[in-house]
Amino acid sequence: MSLLPSPRTVGPFTVKAIGLGCMNLSHAYLPRPDAQQAVRLLRHALDVGVDFFDTAALYGFGANEELLGRTLMHRRDAFTLASKCVLGGKDGQRGIDGSPAAITATLEDSLRRLQVEHIDLYYLHRLDPNVPIEESVGALARAVEAGKIGAIGLSEMSAATLRRAHAVHPIAAMQTEYSPWTRNAEVAVLDACGDLGVAFVAFSPVARGVLAGGVGADGVPEGDIRAAMPRFQSPHFERNMELAAAFGAIAADAGCTMAQLSLAWVLSRRPWVIAIPGTTSIAHLDEDLATLTLDLSADTLAAVDALFTFEAVSGPRYQRAAQAQVDTETWDGEPMA
């Protein structure tokens, strides 16, 4: 199945099926690129036609937005810009504040750091359990009316929350982790997006590097955000690496790379799915984008399905504190930290 002739719609915007998640240029994953490497990657992405860039106030506690602001905005008309609020940092610690006042203040900070007067797509990064979703969406609806943002998104939220939010103001996109090894979106929210005409934006579509061959037998460096995730800890990690090896064999038989197979599988799930892999490597970026020219058989994609059943991956997706910050559905029997 060729994915090339399938641009995706995000609210009023039309984008390619693969965009760029910018988090790991400034945040969470190690090793982190130096400033010149990050700038080269972003400018190369523009040059090869990437038209959807995703950042957030949280990433580098503002540093990622600043990076995009000084690197990309001379070609502002060439891409759709997405950022996020609610989940942010104070004194080096992350926290959640979905109050209208906090959302308004964060948006002003985002506009300043990005060096723009308008952000195309602005997400509520997480659901604040202490603030009704209607109030948080209402703050962004007022920002749409003021011309400061073009469309509203949600991140890591459930189908029920999506429907409540959509009743206040049309939601353009739902962003959630989605890959062969994290399939929670298939419980309900993926189809809810289809029902409501909402784009589904898959972050970590290559399983946080595991299904791109980017994680070796030694695991991830100390200080990398993945090191605290149960799936990257023994004994879960060893089992998951066995799955990754089997996945690699499927990719080899199909004549593509592991990352390309994972991205193709994600994009094949529904025509409203967009993938935003992140990378610090120009070569890997080009490899990811080449997925759009692949012609993979239904049998190949079915083999991925058969390997990565809901129960196949060992260990919870998040540690306890991080799991408490997401509103996404869980599947029956899913392990919890």
Side-chain angles (χ1 to χ4, degrees):
M1 56 174 293
S2 175
L3 301 167
L4 185 60
S6 301
R8 271 36 172 180
T9 299
V10 185
F13 312 106
T14 299
V15 300
K16 294 182 176 71
I18 295 177
L20 181 64
C22 300
M23 180 187 76
N24 59 352
L25 298 177
S26 311
H27 188 81
Y29 289 7
L30 297 175
R32 201 159 295 147
D34 63 32
Q36 290 184 340
Q37 182 183 354
V39 167
R40 284 195 298 269
L41 177 87
L42 289 169
R43 289 185 174 163
H44 178 81
L46 269 182
D47 289 342
V48 297
V50 172
D51 60 3
F52 188 33
F53 289 83
D54 181 274
T55 182
L58 173 70
Y59 302 160
F61 301 114
N64 197 249
E65 288 181 324
E66 290 174 349
L67 170 65
L68 270 63
R70 65 176 180 266
T71 304
L72 300 181
M73 299 312 155
H74 64 294
R75 292 175 60 184
R76 182 66 189 86
D77 293 341
F79 61 92
T80 296
L81 174 65
S83 193
K84 311 178 192 72
C85 60
V86 175
L87 186 58
K90 184 177 181 181
D91 300 325
Q93 301 295 317
R94 64 185 253 170
I96 290 177
D97 190 342
S99 66
I103 288 170
T104 300
T106 302
L107 173 57
E108 292 300 327
D109 289 340
S110 290
L111 292 166
R112 172 181 52 80
R113 289 189 291 253
L114 288 162
Q115 301 182 32
V116 296
E117 296 181 352
H118 176 90
I119 298 171
D120 298 316
L121 174 63
Y122 206 55
Y123 292 92
L124 300 174
H125 205 160
R126 291 291 188 274
L127 176 66
D128 185 340
N130 298 313
V131 179
I133 188 65
E134 291 81 1
E135 292 186 16
S136 297
V137 172
L140 291 187
R142 291 187 288 276
V144 172
E145 293 171 359
K148 295 184 177 183
I149 64 175
I152 298 172
L154 307 178
S155 178
E156 290 277 39
M157 298 190 199
S158 66
T161 300
L162 170 60
R163 293 184 188 280
R164 285 175 58 191
H166 198 74
V168 175
H169 187 280
I171 301 300
M174 171 68 79
Q175 183 177 144
T176 295
E177 182 178 358
Y178 188 41
S179 73
W181 90 333
T182 298
R183 299 179 61 169
N184 298 67
E186 295 176 14
V187 174
V189 79
L190 193 57
D191 286 336
C193 286
D195 293 342
L196 298 173
V198 176
F200 182 90
V201 179
F203 77 80
S204 295
V206 296
R208 302 187 182 274
V210 171
L211 298 187
V215 179
D218 293 335
V220 296
E222 185 177 352
D224 188 297
I225 194 174
R226 295 168 292 181
M229 295 177 175
R231 291 180 179 181
F232 290 86
Q233 299 170 346
S234 187
H236 304 300
F237 179 70
E238 291 76 12
R239 167 57 182 153
N240 293 332
M241 291 303 288
E242 291 175 2
L243 288 170
F247 181 82
I250 297 172
D253 287 345
C256 65
T257 69
M258 292 173 68
Q260 289 169 345
L261 179 58
S262 191
L263 289 167
W265 181 90
V266 167
L267 296 179
S268 75
R269 304 305 290 175
R270 302 290 192 281
W272 51 90
V273 174
I274 300 161
I276 52 166
T279 184
T280 62
S281 162
I282 287 175
H284 290 164
L285 173 62
D286 290 343
E287 173 190 332
D288 291 345
L289 296 176
T291 304
L292 296 174
T293 66
L294 290 181
D295 187 9
L296 295 180
S297 71
D299 286 346
T300 295
L301 298 175
V304 175
D305 253 357
L307 177 64
F308 282 101
T309 61
F310 276 70
E311 299 83 6
V313 178
S314 184
R317 179 161 75 108
Y318 284 130
Q319 66 271 47
R320 188 182 302 274
Q323 181 63 41
Q325 292 183 338
V326 300
D327 179 50
T328 44
E329 287 90 357
T330 57
W331 46 270
D332 289 343
E334 180 174 354
M336 292 287 117

